Amino acid sequence: MRIAGLNIFPLKSARGIALNESPIDAMGLSGDRRWMLTNPDGYFITQREMPALARLLVNPTDTGLSLSMDGEGLTAAFPAPDSRQQVVVWKSSVDAALADDAVNATLSKWLERDVRLVFFDTQARRTASAEWAGSGSPVAFGDGYQVLVTTTGSLAALNADMAAHGEVPVGMDRFRANIVLDHDEAFAEDGWTSISIGDVVLDLVKPCARCIMTTQDQETGSREGANPMPAMGRIRMSADRRVPGPLFGWNAVPRGAGLLRVGDAVRVLDRREPWAIKRR
């Protein structure tokens, strides 16, 4: 088994970037979900309520972030440390650095909604759920955990079910994974406790419940095309009430630091009883 793809999403819910290699540490892949958009009160914004974020292209730079949308460009410098905004990501409250007024005004114009751009700087603090990740596990603006792992075999099985029901298949980009593993067996990851890639160990701590974002084209934001939700409902509904709903991929916590490359060998270290899935 090897790494088939590496992706970061510098701005939460905006367009992702495919990489050939990436450093990884306790907070995940370098630069992943370190920026985020909020409403003026500080509550986070995602494609769930703003599909247009799929059209927002972002690239990290040495001085901040380069953004573009529909042919217009913008450069956002790292905010000054004393420019702060208290923001909320699900149940977490974070003291984040706030971008300047001009940047926020331009983004608000592009998105036709009053928004604020914030950065997870060295003063910001947030931890993943201790119940699943253990105590003191640092995370930035991801939904809850540092890394999302998926496999090619699982996507193939999902698309096979869609094809059998006359539905159009989807690409892996719908699931916004950080690490995609080339592995033929469908949903084998349900039974993995941890994997190793070089010197880095990743604990697979919680399956990822999926939402309406999987129905959106990750270039246009449109919800008019292929929709994997019915197929996930047929073959991937959780039977464990701790994580209800359709599941695809696993949230993982890095233990250690290193450099990951596409093509790196991946080894399963420990196994468990597979996560319970409802059978129809």
Side-chain angles (χ1 to χ4, degrees), residues 162 210-215 227-234 237 246:
M162 294 177 72
R210 309 313 305 216
C211 69
I212 195 172
M213 280 181 61
T214 62
T215 72
N227 180 357
M229 290 294 280
M232 286 190 286
R234 289 189 291 265
M237 287 298 292

Side-chain angles (χ1 to χ4, degrees), residues 183-199:
H183 187 69
D184 290 339
E185 184 182 347
F187 310 114
E189 61 272 24
D190 284 352
W192 300 342
T193 302
S194 61
I195 59 176
S196 67
I197 308 171
D199 295 330

Side-chain angles (χ1 to χ4, degrees), residues 102-120:
V103 168
N104 291 325
T106 299
L107 288 170
S108 297
K109 183 188 73 170
W110 288 358
L111 296 166
E112 300 180 333
R113 174 174 166 182
D114 196 5
V115 300
R116 304 289 184 270
L117 177 66
V118 296
F119 176 61
F120 197 98

Side-chain angles (χ1 to χ4, degrees), residues 97-213:
L98 176 64
D100 66 44
D101 291 344
V103 168
N104 291 325
T106 299
L107 288 170
S108 297
K109 183 188 73 170
W110 288 358
L111 296 166
E112 300 180 333
R113 174 174 166 182
D114 196 5
V115 300
R116 304 289 184 270
L117 177 66
V118 296
F119 176 61
F120 197 98
D121 64 0
T122 57
Q123 296 183 40
R125 297 288 185 273
R126 183 178 177 226
T127 55
S129 167
E131 177 185 0
W132 297 94
S135 62
S137 184
V139 65
F141 290 136
D143 270 357
Y145 300 89
Q146 296 88 336
V147 174
L148 182 66
V149 177
T150 61
T151 70
T152 56
S154 297
L155 179 64
L158 184 68
N159 278 330
D161 181 86
M162 294 177 72
H165 289 83
E167 298 162 1
V168 178
V170 295
M172 190 68 86
D173 63 338
R174 293 294 185 93
F175 302 99
R176 298 175 67 83
N178 295 115
I179 301 175
V180 181
L181 303 180
D182 187 5
H183 187 69
D184 290 339
E185 184 182 347
F187 310 114
E189 61 272 24
D190 284 352
W192 300 342
T193 302
S194 61
I195 59 176
S196 67
I197 308 171
D199 295 330
V200 178
V201 172
L202 290 158
D203 290 340
L204 277 64
V205 299
K206 186 181 181 183
C208 185
R210 309 313 305 216
C211 69
I212 195 172
M213 280 181 61

Side-chain angles (χ1 to χ4, degrees), residues 48-103:
R48 297 171 183 87
E49 68 272 21
M50 188 182 284
L53 283 176
R55 306 203 317 271
L56 185 58
L57 282 69
V58 296
N59 281 289
T61 69
D62 291 340
T63 58
L65 199 64
S66 173
L67 305 103
S68 62
M69 186 172 179
D70 300 338
E72 296 187 61
L74 171 67
T75 299
F78 289 120
D82 60 352
S83 177
R84 316 295 301 175
Q85 169 89 43
Q86 200 70 24
V87 302
V88 175
V89 187
W90 297 115
K91 296 180 180 180
S92 301
S93 181
V94 180
D95 180 30
L98 176 64
D100 66 44
D101 291 344
V103 168

Side-chain angles (χ1 to χ4, degrees), residues 251-262:
N251 293 296
V253 177
R255 312 297 186 188
L259 181 68
L260 305 186
R261 297 181 179 88
V262 172

